[in-house]
Amino acid sequence: MTTSQTDKTAERACYVPLWDEATEEFHNGWLTYRPADPYFIHLEIEDWPAPVVAPRDVLRDGATSLAECLSTPDRTALRVQPSQDGKNALLGITQGDLLLGVFRTPADLLTKHVDGLYEVVPEGEETSRIDWDDLIASLLL
């Protein structure tokens, strides 16, 4: 993690080990959370072309049932669900209706990391963390 006890506005990065369900290859993964963008997490996967951005609620809800965010055909999205044995979470990377890959990670580790995100910015306090001037300026570009 990259936060300190005195500065809860710093970003939080958490390591997640990932196994490709199709090939059983191991990949390093990182969940990055920025309180200035409190609704979303960034999932970076080693050897994967680009980070996947998804609502943090998808990770939380995916611990117990299927949760996913929708994407346009040209953008990647995330689908999360528990594995059949309940020990792992399955992270599916999608692009529109196309499933690009499925990665397995320990469910308890993922839950621990996601719970930590809600400690940084509790549910319901997200809008107070957004820099509205920056957001509006980025939309006008």
Side-chain angles (χ1 to χ4, degrees):
M1 287 181 269
T2 58
T3 60
S4 71
Q5 291 300 326
T6 58
D7 183 8
K8 290 293 187 183
T9 62
E11 80 177 24
R12 181 175 279 200
C14 306
Y15 173 77
V16 287
L18 299 167
W19 288 266
D20 187 313
E21 280 288 283
T23 64
E24 287 298 320
E25 290 179 356
F26 175 78
H27 298 270
N28 292 303
W30 295 268
L31 295 173
T32 305
Y33 181 71
R34 298 172 182 94
D37 187 14
Y39 289 104
F40 296 94
I41 56 93
H42 299 253
L43 171 62
E44 295 179 62
I45 303 169
E46 181 180 46
D47 302 324
W48 196 260
V52 178
V53 179
R56 68 180 179 163
D57 289 349
V58 169
L59 288 172
R60 180 190 61 193
D61 297 345
T64 56
S65 63
L66 175 63
E68 62 185 313
C69 57
L70 302 176
S71 72
T72 59
D74 61 336
R75 304 249 346 204
T76 57
L78 187 63
R79 178 183 303 154
V80 182
Q81 67 187 54
S83 64
Q84 288 184 344
D85 65 9
K87 294 179 182 178
N88 295 294
L90 302 176
L91 308 174
I93 312 296
T94 63
Q95 192 168 36
D97 292 334
L98 180 64
L99 182 62
L100 301 176
V102 177
F103 296 90
R104 181 178 72 247
T105 193
D108 57 346
L109 180 64
L110 185 63
T111 299
K112 176 184 165 192
H113 288 330
V114 172
D115 288 349
L117 302 181
Y118 285 91
E119 290 173 8
V120 174
V121 178
E123 189 169 15
E125 293 183 19
E126 295 91 351
T127 55
S128 67
R129 299 296 183 108
I130 297 172
D131 184 336
W132 293 102
D133 292 334
D134 281 350
L135 180 63
I136 292 169
S138 70
L139 293 174
L140 296 175
L141 294 178

